[in-house]
Amino acid sequence: MKRKMTVAAVVAGALLVATSAVAGFKSSQQVVVDVTNRHAQGSLGGARNSADSMQYIGCYTQSVSPFTTIIGQCYARDASGTYVSCSSTAPGFVNMVQSLNGDSDIAFGWDASNTCTSIIIFNTSDNAPKNP
């Protein structure tokens, strides 16, 4: 009888582990701003869901009349209030900014003149969705 209870406990434990593994990996990236290395990163959901009221991160595109040039801009503010932004008219950068969705993770870099020099967009299943 003791052996049956031990086997049942092992099976029950394995089922609990399997159940939690099925739920999937979840990540909630807070906003990190590194002014020394000119790099910022974070997730839209992680920033919105954070306990503080300081951090945010995002990108957008805009064009002004005569609408011949599209500008992409990224910005971020970390929990301590450090704010950075950069912009670029490079078509590849603009295309990347336009691939953002509401639950993306973003990483971007800039040069001394605040021109964006790199961007990475993560659209993955582990991104935390934004809470209301």
Side-chain angles (χ1 to χ4, degrees):
M1 181 70 170
K2 193 174 193 177
R3 178 163 166 71
K4 285 183 182 180
M5 289 175 64
T6 304
V7 170
V10 169
V11 170
L15 287 174
L16 284 174
V17 170
T19 302
S20 63
V22 171
F25 176 72
K26 294 175 183 68
S27 172
S28 183
Q29 174 70 38
Q30 302 293 300
V31 176
V32 176
V33 174
D34 180 349
V35 293
T36 303
N37 294 303
R38 297 186 180 118
H39 178 83
Q41 66 184 48
S43 73
L44 278 67
R48 182 176 177 102
N49 300 340
S50 68
D52 64 80
S53 61
M54 294 293 290
Q55 60 183 292
Y56 55 83
I57 190 165
C59 298
Y60 64 90
T61 56
Q62 69 178 13
S63 185
V64 294
S65 185
F67 306 110
T68 56
T69 303
I70 299 174
I71 301 167
Q73 174 129 12
C74 289
Y75 55 89
R77 184 171 73 182
D78 65 16
S80 68
T82 303
Y83 175 82
V84 295
S85 69
C86 65
S87 62
S88 176
T89 58
F93 181 82
V94 169
N95 287 338
M96 291 289 290
V97 168
Q98 291 173 335
S99 76
L100 280 169
N101 70 52
D103 299 321
S104 296
D105 284 1
I106 307 165
F108 63 91
W110 62 92
D111 64 17
S113 63
N114 292 330
T115 299
C116 296
T117 57
S118 65
I119 186 168
I120 302 170
I121 307 297
F122 300 92
N123 293 316
T124 62
S125 64
D126 64 316
N127 292 351
K130 294 185 300 297
N131 293 329

